[in-house]
Each structure stands twice: as C-alpha cells, then as structure tokens.
Amino acid sequence: MVELVNKSAFRSATPTRWLVPPLVLNGRFLTQPVTGVQRVARALLSELDAFAADGALPTPRLVVPARATLIDPPALRAIKIERAGVLIGHAWEQIELPFVTGGDTLLCLGNTAPVARLKRGKHPTLVMVHDLSYRYFPKAYDWKFRAFYNTVIPVALQHSTHLITVSKAEKTAIQRAYPKTATHRSFHAIQNGGALEIAPSSTPEIPRAPLGLYVGSLSKRKNSQGVIQVATRLLRAHPQARFQIIGGTTASLQSLDLTVPDDVAPRLTFLGQINDPARINAAYQAARFLLFPSYYEASPLPPIEAMQNGCPVLCADIPSLRERCGDAALYRAPDDHAGLAADASRLLTDPSLWMRQSVKGRAHAARFTWRAQAHALLRILEQS
C-alpha cells in the first residue's frame, strides 16, 4: 500500500521525469456516465496530463471508440484524444483496442480490459479493478452485466501485468473471493484521491439551513432504501429540515422501489445525476452533513469530498470506510436507521459537535489527493 502524503510535500518529491514505457490509456470511460469509477479515471487522466504538459512524463496516447459520444470531454493540455475503430462499448474494448494499442503498455482504469490480450500476456497490461460488487451483490445488477463481469474480471485478476485496487480492505476482499490473487506477482492497493480542486475557507461555517445530503449511485449495495428510511425519520423529527439526494441509476443496476412517504416528500428532493464538480461542491457546502450508510464500498469519493468542504460525514461502520475516513466520521451499522437518524439530528442541533467534526474532516481529507494516487500509479508503471 502506497502511503498518501500531503500535496505540498508530495510535489517536492516528484521526480524530474518519470521513466515509463510508451503508454496507451483505454479511454472508454470517457463514453460512460460519470459515477465513481469514471470519476477516478478522469481525475487520474487529468494528473497524467499535467505531468506530460510539464515535461515530467512522455505523453501517453488516449484512445476512445470513434463512433461513441464523449460525455463531458475533459480539457487536456498535452494528451490528445485519439478516436479509433468502428465498434463501441465492450465490443470495441475487446476486439479493436488490442490492435490500436499494439505492443505498447495498456492502462485500463475502469475494471475491464481485453481478455485476449491479457491471456496472451505478450504485452504489459495494467488493470485497475475498483471492486467486486457484482459478485457480492449479484441481485443489484442485471444478468448481462453479471455475465460479462464474471467472464472478464477473473481474467484481469489472474493475467494483468500489474493488478491495482483502491484500498487494503478491497485487496483483502479480492484475495478472499479469488484466492489465486494472493500469489499475484504484482498486486497493489492505492487509495483513491477524492479532494476536489477547490480552495475552501480556512474557517468552516455552519450552514444556515438544516439540510442533509446523500451523494452516490442509487443501488442496493449503496443502501439507498436505508437512506430513505433515515431521511424520513430525520424529517419527521425536524419539521424545518430538508434532505437532498444526488445520484442516479445506470442500465446495469436493478431498479429499486424508493418510495418516499407523502408526509415528508415535499422536503426530500432527488436531484439526479450531477457531473459538474462546482454543483457538487455547492451541495456539500450547503449541507449540515453527508449521510453515507453503504453496505459495501472500496474507496468512495463522497466522504472525502464532503470533508474537504467542511461537511461532516455520517457513514456505515464497515472496514473500507474505517480505512477511508479514519476518526473523522461518525459511524453506525448500515441498518441502524434509528442510530443514524439520531446522529444526524445531533449534527443539526449541536453546533460544537458540528464544528468539531467539520474541522477534523478538513484535516483528514487533505491526505487524499489525486496527485498522490497518480504518483503511486506512475511508480508501478516504471516497473512495467
């Protein structure tokens, strides 16, 4: 596990030039809805681009399907988007990407990679497998998604030149689910960044409105129904409070019944998927707390983003969130709706508790930078 460091200390330790082989980035993530996996890939792309623009890294190629629509294309200084092929989606990745990549090192940041290339093992292929949620929560995904991932992910876990995941907890979980990975010659755990590129005020101020917030996909493994239950309890106890939910579902997720009781419905708002970081920042800064009672996470972004914005975090007591949030969050079992609502109520009514958690969270979030994660990734690439 690469230790994350403060951003200013990290920058001074950056080498003059990274000695990495010719590199191709699998850019299919730029054609997908922007949820956690895609946000990590985009942030790392931005950091690699900054290294290349500064002359510290040979400029990688970024390859995307020619016929696919790019979602919110990033502004890049050095890396150019290269369109190739006639297919889209997984078919493009499995059939056409290997030919476009040739013998260069291929970096896949979005869980999957070309199976044939992995099995041949002739050219270096690095795969970031964020989590195995499709295996732990199969009913949360449709059968086509499960079938594809059950085929591709085991190959990536076994045959990638370097296998990367995003936390010690997830590495342990993967090794438990796939014992052969325990002997993988190069299996790395690197915590995600998460701090957004903003400059929050040095002294956090308690938001005037009693507003609770959830940010994340709406799925069974995220305990979305639990979010509704806790929010309902809180809104009934505090008639002036409101609650907002940012996030949506994707085609691969099974639909959920997220019925909101009529008596609180006017004060519980679904804002849908938001890709604009400025709008997400504004939501964190306006909220009294982030509710994050997920059953399973690997290295989630919302808790760190919320902390950076001075928004206290109330989350599930599971190993990965303990690893991610340390002592800067309030913890409850994910199904302890009464306890979660009680802690949320305290954050609404106890200014000293709110300020203590806000300050603690700010300090904790400073450890998790995208630059530090990119630094760790490049160290791995230098070994390829």
Side-chain angles (χ1 to χ4, degrees), residues 339-368:
L340 288 163
D343 285 345
S345 181
R346 291 168 59 208
L347 289 169
L348 290 185
T349 59
D350 186 341
S352 63
L353 173 65
W354 189 95
M355 185 63 69
R356 186 164 60 250
Q357 292 303 119
S358 179
V359 171
K360 191 183 296 185
R362 283 269 183 91
H364 183 77
R367 299 178 55 234
F368 297 93

Side-chain angles (χ1 to χ4, degrees), residues 108-285:
C108 297
L109 296 171
N111 289 320
T112 60
V115 168
R117 178 185 170 106
L118 286 167
K119 285 190 172 181
R120 281 196 300 268
K122 185 177 180 180
H123 305 299
T125 305
L126 288 75
V127 185
M128 178 176 281
V129 177
H130 295 249
D131 61 63
L132 301 181
S133 57
Y134 73 95
R135 181 183 174 101
Y136 308 143
F137 296 89
K139 293 182 179 179
Y141 298 88
D142 67 34
W143 70 269
K144 291 181 290 185
F145 183 92
R146 295 197 308 270
F148 180 78
Y149 266 54
N150 276 316
T151 300
V152 174
I153 295 296
V155 177
L157 295 176
Q158 184 174 353
H159 295 285
S160 55
T161 309
H162 291 277
L163 175 62
I164 304 164
T165 193
V166 292
S167 67
K168 291 179 181 178
E170 189 58 30
K171 180 178 179 179
T172 298
I174 290 173
Q175 290 174 329
R176 188 181 302 118
Y178 292 95
K180 288 185 179 180
T181 59
T183 59
H184 193 291
R185 61 187 179 277
S186 185
F187 190 0
H188 311 268
I190 309 171
Q191 271 283 349
N192 285 333
L196 296 165
E197 292 188 5
I198 58 171
S201 60
S202 58
T203 303
E205 296 183 359
I206 301 176
R208 282 177 285 182
L211 173 66
L213 178 68
Y214 167 79
V215 178
S217 299
L218 300 179
S219 68
K220 292 181 180 179
R221 73 148 172 125
K222 293 280 189 177
N223 194 14
S224 298
Q225 290 169 317
V227 171
I228 301 298
Q229 292 290 327
V230 174
T232 298
R233 285 175 177 265
L234 181 71
L235 295 176
R236 285 173 174 166
H238 297 272
Q240 303 304 314
R242 295 181 297 113
F243 197 94
Q244 293 180 340
I245 293 176
I246 294 177
T249 60
T250 63
S252 63
L253 296 173
Q254 294 281 18
S255 61
L256 292 174
D257 178 11
L258 297 178
T259 303
V260 178
D262 291 341
D263 62 317
V264 300
R267 293 182 288 132
L268 199 162
T269 307
F270 290 85
L271 299 180
Q273 180 68 31
I274 296 177
N275 296 329
D276 181 0
R279 289 185 61 195
I280 297 176
N281 284 337
Y284 289 131
Q285 291 166 7

Side-chain angles (χ1 to χ4, degrees), residues 85-126:
V86 297
L87 302 173
I88 61 174
H90 290 301
W92 175 84
E93 181 181 73
Q94 295 299 317
I95 298 171
E96 294 184 316
L97 179 59
F99 292 100
V100 177
T101 307
D104 291 346
T105 297
L106 176 62
L107 175 60
C108 297
L109 296 171
N111 289 320
T112 60
V115 168
R117 178 185 170 106
L118 286 167
K119 285 190 172 181
R120 281 196 300 268
K122 185 177 180 180
H123 305 299
T125 305
L126 288 75

Side-chain angles (χ1 to χ4, degrees), residues 223 226 230 234 289 291-293 314-316 330-345:
N223 194 14
V230 174
L234 181 71
F289 64 88
L291 175 65
F292 204 75
L314 173 58
C315 65
L330 299 177
Y331 295 95
R332 291 277 186 173
D335 284 330
D336 184 3
H337 300 157
L340 288 163
D343 285 345
S345 181

